[in-house]
Amino acid sequence: MSEVAKKPKKRFWGSFSFSGVASLMPIEGVINSYKYIVVIKRKVIPDMRKTFPDGVGKFQQDVVPCLSSENVKTIFRKQKLNVLE
């Protein structure tokens, strides 16, 4: 048997709600709080504002430590986005 070349892993961030599925965002390498803040600014904030213009939506995220860093919490607070604890 010939050895199959390993393809690099592809990682994406995505979200969904009762109103549908949002587009995926490719993530380079392993996610950390700084990369996640980019995702929040480019995807989470616009998607939440579009889906919940009245501000009643709650964002739920994984329990990965970098997703709940103080820097991440600060962004959510400043943007007045509700995050499910």
Side-chain angles (χ1 to χ4, degrees):
M1 292 180 136
S2 65
E3 210 174 294
V4 178
K6 290 186 178 183
K7 293 182 180 181
K9 293 181 181 178
K10 304 268 183 190
R11 292 184 173 95
F12 296 90
W13 183 91
S15 66
F16 60 91
S17 72
F18 66 87
S19 65
V21 178
S23 61
L24 296 175
M25 180 175 171
I27 304 291
E28 295 279 331
V30 177
I31 192 87
N32 59 34
S33 62
Y34 300 105
K35 289 180 184 180
Y36 189 50
I37 288 170
V38 172
V39 171
I40 292 169
K41 290 178 177 180
R42 290 186 186 167
K43 296 296 293 173
V44 175
I45 293 168
D47 287 352
M48 289 291 289
R49 297 254 159 77
K50 180 180 176 187
T51 305
F52 305 102
D54 55 2
V56 298
K58 285 196 176 189
F59 183 70
Q60 182 178 355
Q61 56 190 358
D62 292 334
V63 293
V64 178
C66 69
L67 304 186
S68 60
S69 72
E70 284 305 314
N71 290 335
V72 168
K73 289 178 182 178
T74 298
I75 295 291
F76 282 122
R77 270 193 308 273
K78 284 183 178 179
Q79 294 298 320
K80 297 181 178 153
L81 292 176
N82 297 316
V83 179
L84 189 63
E85 293 297 324

